Amino acid sequence: MFERLDAIKAKYAELQKDLINPEIMMDYNKIKTLSKEASDLEPAVKKYEEYQNTLKEIEEAKSLMQDEELKGLAEQEETKLNAKLASIKKELEILLVPKDEFDGKNIIMEIRGAAGGDEANIFAGDLYRMYTYYAEKNGWKIEEIHSIEGTSGGYSQIEILIKGDDVYKKLKYESGSHRVQRVPTTETQGRIHTSTATVLVMPEVETSNIILKDSDIKMDVYHSSGAGGQSVNTANSAVRLTHIPTGIVVTCQTERSQLRNRDRAMELLKIKIGDEIRQKEEQALGQERKNKIGTGDRSEKIRTYNYPQNRVTDHRINFSIMSLDKVMNGDLDPIIEALQTEDLRLKLAGEEFA
């Protein structure tokens, strides 16, 4: 660990010199890149300097123990400094954990009603509102890309763009199958039903390196529609793009202009293709977690929302909270923080495997 910290400290010093180099200072893009790199290294460097200074203070305390009059105070000081040193070391271990390169990205979130018919679509709508409330609490912005409303409420499918600070960092754990247990509004005899909705979270990444051939894309245009397929737009402005080689389909109907819908759909298509490529590369390199936190496995039941017991359970970490009402109103932090803690524990233990 300390060899790595020495290398980071040397690199940081080198970057500081480069940042005051007159030739480099003339290149805005270079300065921006170097400043970001230095900023990323700075927390570890400052904490390592604190660790080294504490070591020196411990040595000073030990030297004072040779004085009989100061020995008692010096021993107390050494005990206090050793505890501080242990705490700093733990912080350094956390700072050295590899960071997810996508943590600072915006996301595309796709929510679909799955098993359970109308109730699944209603639950998908509930999840959409939950994430909307959570986004508002974090100061994020939400833009709807495409939606198909359920005939009894909710959505059979809705895709949204969420923009803000650390969106992917907090919501990357939401991919998977969400299960609800409750008495549906459509149930006449008071029986509890189990339904599911799926959530997919994709980071909004740079797509300029993804080149799509026009011959590989099929484009369909149609009227934008609301619940039950009712037309809400008399012009053929909605756009559906199908990427023939992968079978990926995207739709955009939020803009009034067909051209703008096409441009937005094309960008979404590139993001989805990029996400599929990324997941395949991760699987090939064997970088998936043992407990599948954040893998985006659509078939995995990650969480249950039990209305009769006011309980939410995340099955990946065996974590339950008896405040479903608060969770559905956007109080997701207790669950997300528990997932982040377990993710960090696994990383510190080196539990990434093929």
Side-chain angles (χ1 to χ4, degrees), residues 64-209:
L64 291 174
M65 290 179 193
Q66 297 173 12
D67 188 323
E68 287 299 323
E69 293 183 4
L70 299 174
K71 184 176 181 181
L73 288 173
E75 286 177 344
Q76 291 178 20
E77 183 67 11
E78 185 196 20
T79 300
K80 184 174 71 174
L81 289 169
N82 278 325
K84 179 182 177 182
L85 193 72
S87 175
I88 294 172
K89 186 177 180 181
K90 286 183 179 178
E91 291 180 62
L92 282 170
E93 288 175 345
I94 292 171
L95 285 169
L96 290 178
V97 169
K99 292 180 174 57
D100 190 328
E101 63 178 304
F102 301 110
D103 275 353
K105 300 292 185 181
N106 301 326
I107 67 164
I108 303 293
M109 176 180 279
E110 176 187 287
I111 307 170
R112 292 175 178 262
D118 287 341
E119 168 64 2
N121 294 340
I122 293 170
F123 178 49
D126 293 340
L127 290 177
Y128 167 62
R129 281 188 292 276
M130 177 184 77
Y131 292 124
T132 298
Y133 294 145
Y134 186 64
E136 289 173 354
K137 290 183 178 183
N138 282 277
W140 300 336
K141 293 183 179 180
I142 290 184
E143 295 180 16
E144 183 180 319
I145 298 170
H146 169 63
S147 66
I148 303 175
E149 295 181 13
T151 54
S152 298
Y155 297 93
S156 64
Q157 177 186 349
I158 183 166
E159 291 179 90
I160 55 177
L161 170 64
I162 306 180
K163 298 179 177 180
D165 295 332
D166 295 329
V167 179
Y168 185 74
K169 182 179 182 180
K170 291 189 174 182
L171 292 181
K172 62 184 175 182
Y173 306 101
E174 297 305 296
S175 287
S177 180
H178 296 240
R179 181 175 71 173
V180 63
Q181 295 174 323
R182 64 184 177 189
V183 179
T185 55
T186 54
E187 169 59 48
T188 58
Q189 298 183 30
R191 293 172 298 186
I192 295 174
H193 289 220
T194 298
S195 304
T196 60
T198 60
V199 176
L200 175 61
V201 173
M202 295 170 286
E204 187 187 34
V205 296
E206 177 58 48
T207 58
S208 60
N209 60 333

Side-chain angles (χ1 to χ4, degrees), residues 18-32:
D18 288 341
L19 286 168
I20 58 173
N21 184 322
E23 293 183 7
I24 293 177
M25 290 176 69
M26 298 295 290
D27 188 337
Y28 172 77
N29 290 328
K30 185 70 172 176
I31 283 289
K32 186 178 178 181

Side-chain angles (χ1 to χ4, degrees), residues 81-354:
L81 289 169
N82 278 325
K84 179 182 177 182
L85 193 72
S87 175
I88 294 172
K89 186 177 180 181
K90 286 183 179 178
E91 291 180 62
L92 282 170
E93 288 175 345
I94 292 171
L95 285 169
L96 290 178
V97 169
K99 292 180 174 57
D100 190 328
E101 63 178 304
F102 301 110
D103 275 353
K105 300 292 185 181
N106 301 326
I107 67 164
I108 303 293
M109 176 180 279
E110 176 187 287
I111 307 170
R112 292 175 178 262
D118 287 341
E119 168 64 2
N121 294 340
I122 293 170
F123 178 49
D126 293 340
L127 290 177
Y128 167 62
R129 281 188 292 276
M130 177 184 77
Y131 292 124
T132 298
Y133 294 145
Y134 186 64
E136 289 173 354
K137 290 183 178 183
N138 282 277
W140 300 336
K141 293 183 179 180
I142 290 184
E143 295 180 16
E144 183 180 319
I145 298 170
H146 169 63
S147 66
I148 303 175
E149 295 181 13
T151 54
S152 298
Y155 297 93
S156 64
Q157 177 186 349
I158 183 166
E159 291 179 90
I160 55 177
L161 170 64
I162 306 180
K163 298 179 177 180
D165 295 332
D166 295 329
V167 179
Y168 185 74
K169 182 179 182 180
K170 291 189 174 182
L171 292 181
K172 62 184 175 182
Y173 306 101
E174 297 305 296
S175 287
S177 180
H178 296 240
R179 181 175 71 173
V180 63
Q181 295 174 323
R182 64 184 177 189
V183 179
T185 55
T186 54
E187 169 59 48
T188 58
Q189 298 183 30
R191 293 172 298 186
I192 295 174
H193 289 220
T194 298
S195 304
T196 60
T198 60
V199 176
L200 175 61
V201 173
M202 295 170 286
E204 187 187 34
V205 296
E206 177 58 48
T207 58
S208 60
N209 60 333
I210 298 177
I211 308 299
L212 301 179
K213 297 178 182 178
D214 289 341
S215 59
D216 287 341
I217 299 172
K218 177 187 175 186
M219 178 172 132
D220 298 302
V221 295
Y222 56 95
H223 296 338
S224 299
S225 59
Q230 181 181 3
S231 177
V232 295
N233 190 337
T234 57
N236 286 328
S237 60
V239 172
R240 180 191 299 112
L241 299 181
T242 303
H243 187 240
I244 298 169
T246 61
I248 294 175
V249 179
V250 299
T251 305
C252 186
Q253 61 182 31
T254 54
E255 305 291 344
R256 291 184 177 275
S257 159
Q258 181 188 121
L259 181 60
R260 291 177 65 183
N261 275 327
R262 182 191 180 282
D263 290 343
R264 199 163 188 182
M266 185 66 75
E267 191 66 19
L268 179 58
L269 182 60
K270 288 181 178 180
I271 289 171
K272 287 196 173 187
I273 290 172
D275 185 67
E276 184 168 289
I277 292 170
R278 180 174 62 86
Q279 289 200 38
K280 286 181 178 178
E281 287 176 348
E282 286 178 355
Q283 291 171 8
L285 293 171
Q287 294 178 348
E288 291 187 288
R289 298 280 191 277
K290 282 182 179 178
N291 65 349
K292 295 187 178 179
I293 286 181
T295 61
D297 186 346
R298 279 70 140 188
S299 64
E300 183 187 26
K301 177 187 69 181
I302 64 166
R303 193 176 298 153
T304 294
Y305 303 74
N306 187 302
Y307 275 73
Q309 298 178 19
N310 197 36
R311 183 184 70 231
V312 181
T313 299
D314 196 290
H315 303 287
R316 295 164 294 181
I317 55 175
N318 196 27
F319 175 86
S320 292
I321 185 169
M322 307 301 291
S323 55
L324 179 145
D325 51 341
K326 292 181 180 179
V327 170
M328 299 310 292
N329 282 316
D331 189 11
L332 275 168
D333 279 331
I335 299 173
I336 289 172
E337 287 169 6
L339 286 161
Q340 289 176 327
T341 298
E342 176 64 4
D343 194 11
L344 178 60
R345 185 192 70 80
L346 287 171
K347 286 175 178 175
L348 288 172
E351 292 193 26
E352 291 186 326
F353 70 106

Side-chain angles (χ1 to χ4, degrees), residues 44-60:
V45 171
K46 297 301 182 186
K47 189 58 64 175
Y48 186 35
E49 288 175 349
E50 185 182 354
Y51 182 90
Q52 292 174 318
N53 290 334
T54 304
L55 279 176
K56 291 177 183 177
E57 291 175 6
I58 290 173
E59 290 304 313
E60 291 172 2

